[in-house]
Amino acid sequence: MELEDSFYPKAQYIETATGNRVSRGSVLCGSQNIVLSGKVIVLSGVIIRGDLANVRVGRHCVISSKSVIRPPFKKFSKGVAFFPLHIGDHVFIGEGSIVNAAVVGSYVYIGKNCVIGRRCVLKDCCMIADDTVLPPETVVPPFAVYSGSPARHTGDLPEATQDLMTDYTKSCYHHFIRVKDMPPQAREGTTKLIDI
């Protein structure tokens, strides 16, 4: 199924040399510690806490509005230490989700309003359903679907998940179209204008 076009005003997004499209309405704390590998979409309201530890995001990822990406921490007798967060390629993070994982593999789908507990490990090609709460230090195996609160293994993904996620994230990027101002189709209500 083909995605519908989403238009965004040119003035509200910064496009980098590697094709990353970052909303001016997002908050990138400690931006010198944040690496976006290319063709990453960061929508408005996103908070990435690079001030706590390094955050590395792979290619063709989509970070939806109002989600929070925060490196995991561990308590020690002398205090708290934060660890780097690595997100793989072709990852979709849904609206309003909080990601506090140690590692998010490639080809991973995280739904809306999810809470990924601290130091979780999401292996390649897995899915976290909408409104899921993943307890701290959970390891999600490849091709698994987790849902519920607390999350449990509730299903499995097809072997073609890698190709499906690759197509989906590339399609999100290609249908995210820059315009100088609102196009006439968007005014008529046939297309979607991204919230700024």
Side-chain angles (χ1 to χ4, degrees):
M1 188 179 95
E2 195 69 18
L3 291 174
E4 64 177 33
D5 290 344
S6 300
F7 296 94
Y8 68 94
K10 182 180 178 183
Q12 295 297 328
Y13 278 77
I14 299 164
E15 184 154 357
T16 68
T18 52
N20 300 312
R21 294 172 183 168
V22 181
S23 169
R24 292 182 189 274
S26 61
V27 179
L28 306 185
C29 305
S31 54
Q32 70 276 11
N33 297 328
I34 300 170
V35 178
L36 305 177
S37 301
K39 298 193 174 176
V40 175
I41 297 173
V42 179
L43 296 176
S44 64
V46 169
I47 299 172
I48 302 180
R49 295 296 304 272
D51 57 330
L52 303 175
N54 290 347
V55 176
R56 187 176 192 91
V57 181
R59 293 176 59 76
H60 280 289
C61 292
V62 179
I63 304 175
S64 300
S65 57
K66 301 182 185 72
S67 48
V68 179
I69 312 297
R70 189 174 61 203
F73 66 89
K74 185 169 184 173
K75 288 180 183 170
F76 294 98
S77 56
K78 293 183 179 176
V80 174
F82 285 89
F83 296 94
L85 166 56
H86 184 264
I87 297 174
D89 300 333
H90 301 286
V91 173
F92 182 90
I93 298 172
E95 196 173 314
S97 289
I98 299 169
V99 179
N100 207 358
V103 179
V104 176
S106 297
Y107 319 106
V108 173
Y109 182 93
I110 298 173
K112 292 180 184 174
N113 303 316
C114 293
V115 177
I116 310 298
R118 60 191 163 87
R119 297 206 313 281
C120 287
V121 175
L122 279 62
K123 301 285 192 180
D124 293 353
C125 302
C126 67
M127 175 181 172
I128 310 298
D130 292 355
D131 304 308
T132 297
V133 177
L134 208 58
E137 301 187 17
T138 304
V139 177
V140 179
F143 300 103
V145 178
Y146 271 57
S147 61
S149 174
R152 292 191 309 279
H153 186 176
T154 54
D156 293 298
L157 294 172
E159 289 182 16
T161 299
Q162 179 174 335
D163 297 332
L164 293 171
M165 281 306 296
T166 301
D167 291 347
Y168 180 68
T169 53
K170 283 186 175 178
S171 185
C172 286
Y173 187 84
H174 291 307
H175 287 277
F176 195 57
I177 300 165
R178 181 176 63 191
V179 289
K180 285 188 175 152
D181 52 21
M182 203 156 95
Q185 307 100 287
R187 288 194 203 103
E188 291 160 18
T190 56
T191 52
K192 187 171 61 173
L193 184 72
I194 290 295
D195 290 337
I196 54 171

